[in-house]
Amino acid sequence: MNNLNEKQKILIDDLASKNIDAAAVKQAVKDLVVELPSWAVGNSGTRYGTFRDKGAARTIWDKIDDCAEIQRVLGTCPVMASHVLWDVTDDGQYTPVREYAQSKGMRIGTVHPNTFAGQEFRYGSLCSPIKAVREQSHAHFIDCVRIAREMGSKVIGMWIADGTNYPGQDNLRERKHRLYDGLKVLYDALDDDMQMVLEYKPFEPFFYTADVQDWGMSKLMCDKLGDKAKVLVDLGHHLAGVNIEQIVSILLDENKMGGFHFNNRRYADDDLITGTVKPFELFIIFKEIVDAKYEGLNTDITYMLDQSHNIEPSLEGIIYSVMNIQTSYAKSLIIDRDALKISQQDNDTILSNKIIMDAFNTDVEPLLAAARQELGLSHIDPIQNYRDGGWAKKIASEREDDGINTLGG
Ligand code: PSV
Ligand code: MN
């Protein structure tokens, strides 16, 4: 406490007057692990093209190196999420991946099967009307469990790209049955200590129906499958105007909130840097999670980023995203919940909202700086730390462009 600057002292005193323990807030921020997406450090773009970055990661080994550098400046992200098809090893073995990650102070987090990048998936994968394609998808799921085991991961992140483009194209109820049957193959293959998180998305790549179109469908499937299946909320996967924080609160209440893909959007699945376009949404989502935690609900959630850095340097975009997440989370932790309880009991709408807004409008940077000091980081500004470290220059000179894009044209 002695070396905290004046701003930190003022904030801590203010929080104490509201019965909020600043040390607990800092600890919570230090404990918030956000998985770094392997697919975001490679070259990725839009369907129209990709602006290539000098030094972009090409292999899973490069990606681990990049994520380890991100972890160096953040201190809270020692986990890399993997997308199997974009992270293949030459020999199909993944124990060396786990070992390499460990040697860099990292581990592999959520493993994402991929049943959307291939000619055979024209009519879908596990929902395809073609039996051989469904069987191929099932085999891939089972192999992903093996890969997860070898990499030391306990979570499979499922996104089903399946859907149809035209009314009459396929029998929708039959597709629902194929969906369940395929997910059940994956579910049954999981080890007892593994989990599956099922993502939903209203449209894209198909535009008439999506087989897992919303949280209701995802929850329905997870309920039928069992306790090891939970819903994954990707912030970009909602139609305009949908209230995501309410969905999160319902899923938490039902013990079905399994994971997040953080990103930001203005229109659709824009995959922009988390917390840039809609910072209030991020804050109010965290409010629901913190509320649930304080009320003793299960908040064991896997947090991940799922973004595409088209114009900004990828690693900086990722670092900045985690910083924005930390800011939102800290703000959600400093809500004066005692006062809010009373104002809600009094049906004092204005005061209740004002209490929320007071937290949102509070500058929590001094607390975050203290948390970063306590983590032993060499700089309290992770972006500056990254820039000073010279990593971008190093990889630009060492890595030859292989011409491959992870996503996009
Ligand atoms: C689909 O848009 C998605 O959100 C899924 O999570 C995929 O795995 C990922 O994007 C690919 O970037
Ligand atoms: Mn996603």
Side-chain angles (χ1 to χ4, degrees):
M1 284 267 284
N2 289 343
N3 56 2
L4 290 181
N5 68 24
E6 201 51 31
K7 270 181 159 181
Q8 287 169 337
K9 282 197 197 117
I10 293 168
L11 181 54
I12 289 167
D13 289 348
D14 180 49
L15 294 179
S17 75
K18 295 172 187 159
N19 226 353
I20 298 166
D21 179 8
V25 175
K26 280 186 288 179
Q27 192 57 48
V29 170
K30 288 189 285 180
D31 290 342
L32 184 77
V33 173
V34 179
E35 295 190 8
L36 308 170
S38 69
W39 56 101
V41 295
N43 270 316
S44 69
T46 70
R47 68 177 76 176
Y48 303 107
T50 296
F51 299 109
R52 308 193 67 76
D53 266 342
K54 260 189 172 265
R58 303 149 303 177
T59 62
I60 191 161
W61 321 104
D62 284 353
K63 293 170 187 176
I64 292 170
D65 289 346
D66 282 354
C67 289
E69 168 64 7
I70 295 172
Q71 161 65 357
R72 180 184 73 78
V73 300
L74 288 169
T76 56
C77 301
V79 191
M80 183 179 89
S82 171
H83 222 295
V84 288
L85 209 71
W86 298 323
D87 290 340
V88 281
T89 55
D90 289 341
D91 60 0
Q93 300 304 308
Y94 290 85
T95 307
V97 173
R98 178 197 352 209
E99 290 164 355
Y100 186 72
Q102 264 166 6
S103 75
K104 299 282 168 175
M106 301 292 293
R107 67 181 171 81
I108 305 300
T110 306
V111 169
H112 297 73
N114 186 315
T115 55
F116 52 88
Q119 291 301 313
E120 60 278 31
F121 301 126
R122 178 183 288 239
Y123 305 111
S125 57
L126 64 164
C127 302
S128 168
I130 302 162
K131 192 163 176 255
V133 175
R134 295 201 297 275
E135 285 171 354
Q136 183 188 333
S137 307
H138 300 170
H140 177 65
F141 293 158
I142 292 169
D143 196 39
C144 283
V145 175
R146 171 196 64 95
I147 292 171
R149 254 183 226 127
E150 289 183 14
M151 296 208 288
S153 163
K154 298 291 177 200
V155 184
I156 303 281
M158 263 322 304
W159 173 58
I160 316 288
D162 294 27
T164 65
N165 265 359
Y166 300 101
Q169 182 188 322
D170 198 1
N171 182 312
L172 299 184
R173 277 191 299 110
E174 273 179 27
R175 290 186 75 91
K176 172 174 171 274
H177 296 156
R178 293 175 209 143
L179 172 69
Y180 177 72
D181 292 347
L183 290 173
K184 180 98 171 70
V185 169
L186 170 61
Y187 190 86
D188 289 346
L190 297 175
D191 294 340
D192 287 347
D193 60 349
M194 283 183 168
Q195 208 191 30
M196 164 185 152
V197 286
L198 179 60
E199 191 169 351
Y200 55 92
K201 180 169 174 173
F203 67 91
E204 201 196 29
F206 294 97
F207 296 97
Y208 174 61
T209 61
D211 288 297
V212 188
Q213 79 274 42
D214 62 14
W215 68 276
M217 188 58 172
S218 174
K219 182 176 177 301
L220 179 72
M221 289 294 133
C222 292
D223 283 343
K224 280 158 93 90
L225 289 166
D227 293 343
K228 286 189 278 180
K230 293 198 172 173
V231 179
L232 185 147
V233 176
D234 181 313
L235 297 193
H237 292 188
H238 303 87
L239 296 175
V242 167
N243 186 321
I244 303 176
E245 62 270 23
Q246 189 183 18
I247 294 171
V248 170
S249 78
I250 294 167
L251 291 174
L252 284 163
D253 201 53
E254 296 290 329
N255 196 16
K256 278 293 175 188
M257 184 64 238
F260 278 100
H261 273 181
F262 285 134
N263 48 55
N264 222 169
R265 56 79 70 85
R266 179 68 181 82
Y267 300 104
D269 191 18
D270 306 346
D271 279 339
L272 301 175
I273 293 173
T274 306
T276 49
V277 183
K278 296 185 179 179
F280 184 77
E281 181 181 78
L282 190 58
F283 156 76
I284 207 76
I285 286 171
F286 271 119
K287 175 205 172 282
E288 291 303 327
I289 297 169
V290 173
D291 284 353
K293 188 171 184 174
Y294 287 163
E295 286 163 31
L297 301 186
N298 180 7
T299 54
D300 193 7
I301 296 167
T302 305
Y303 298 99
M304 288 167 257
L305 298 174
D306 180 11
Q307 307 182 152
S308 180
H309 301 288
N310 300 332
I311 54 171
E312 64 278 7
S314 305
L315 274 70
E316 292 193 6
I318 293 170
I319 294 165
Y320 190 33
S321 300
V322 175
M323 291 167 69
N324 289 342
I325 289 169
Q326 291 171 331
T327 303
S328 296
Y329 185 42
K331 289 181 179 201
S332 77
L333 287 158
I334 62 160
I335 292 169
D336 188 345
R337 286 180 167 78
D338 292 344
L340 185 60
K341 207 172 212 163
I342 295 167
S343 68
Q344 288 179 343
Q345 276 160 7
D346 292 345
N347 289 312
D348 190 337
T349 312
I350 298 291
L351 184 57
S352 298
N353 181 254
K354 193 171 174 305
I355 289 165
I356 298 291
M357 295 312 295
D358 281 349
F360 181 66
N361 291 325
T362 300
D363 179 6
V364 291
E365 282 308 310
L367 268 190
L368 296 179
R372 290 183 183 125
Q373 280 166 345
E374 289 171 19
L375 281 166
L377 303 179
S378 49
H379 201 301
I380 56 165
D381 178 349
I383 296 277
Q384 197 56 52
N385 197 351
Y386 172 74
R387 289 186 175 181
D388 292 347
W391 183 259
K393 216 170 163 189
K394 175 179 148 64
I395 56 178
S397 70
E398 287 175 2
R399 294 178 186 166
E400 289 235 356
D401 191 341
D402 63 357
I404 292 172
N405 305 326
T406 303
L407 280 169

